[in-house]
Every structure is written in structure tokens, then in C-alpha cells.
Amino acid sequence: MKTARAPAFDHGAALRVPSPHDHKHWTQLCCWLGEDGQIVEPMGHIRVFTASGWAMARPGDWIVLSVTGEFHVTHAGIRGLNA
């Protein structure tokens, strides 16, 4: 009899993209991302280099650093077609 195997999760760390006026947490996020992050002015967005290329992250989104050393962007909420 075969037993079901649990999926292999890639646990790592995550930071949430702060509001545009939260300078303390923006500094922390930019230091954490290093060269893999580029601030997009003046909207409070940040471009993040992920395993599949550059991705845009907005305030409220999560940026995840997996144990493999790759960043991933997880978007918060539902976005419209023009978002």
C-alpha cells in the first residue's frame, strides 16, 4: 500500500511591500533585496528580479525569498485588468 507524500514546501522568508510613506520599512526592504530590487518612483512600487524575470510589486504585496535563494512576488487582493 502506498502512502501519500506531503508536498515539498520551499520555506524561506518574506517581507511585505510597505506604503509609499513608510521610509523605515522601505529602507529595510531595499537592503534585503539588494541588486534584485529597483524602486519605481513615485508610485511606491518596486521591481523584483524573480526566477521568471522582473516582477512588479505594489504596497501590500509580499516578496518571498525561498530557501533556493530566489525571490517571488505574491500579490495581495484582487486587481483589475488595468492594475
Side-chain angles (χ1 to χ4, degrees), residues 27 64 72 77:
T27 300
V64 179
H72 305 274

Side-chain angles (χ1 to χ4, degrees), residues 17-36:
V17 178
S19 68
H21 305 292
D22 186 347
H23 300 291
K24 175 184 174 187
H25 290 107
W26 269 103
T27 300
Q28 180 184 26
L29 178 63
C30 290
C31 288
W32 188 59
L33 289 171
E35 294 178 355
D36 290 327

Side-chain angles (χ1 to χ4, degrees), residues 40-66:
V40 178
E41 293 291 340
M43 300 180 292
H45 294 58
I46 191 163
R47 284 176 17 124
V48 181
F49 190 73
T50 67
S52 56
W54 289 98
M56 187 69 68
R58 298 176 173 126
D61 290 348
W62 288 93
I63 300 173
V64 179
L65 175 61
S66 69

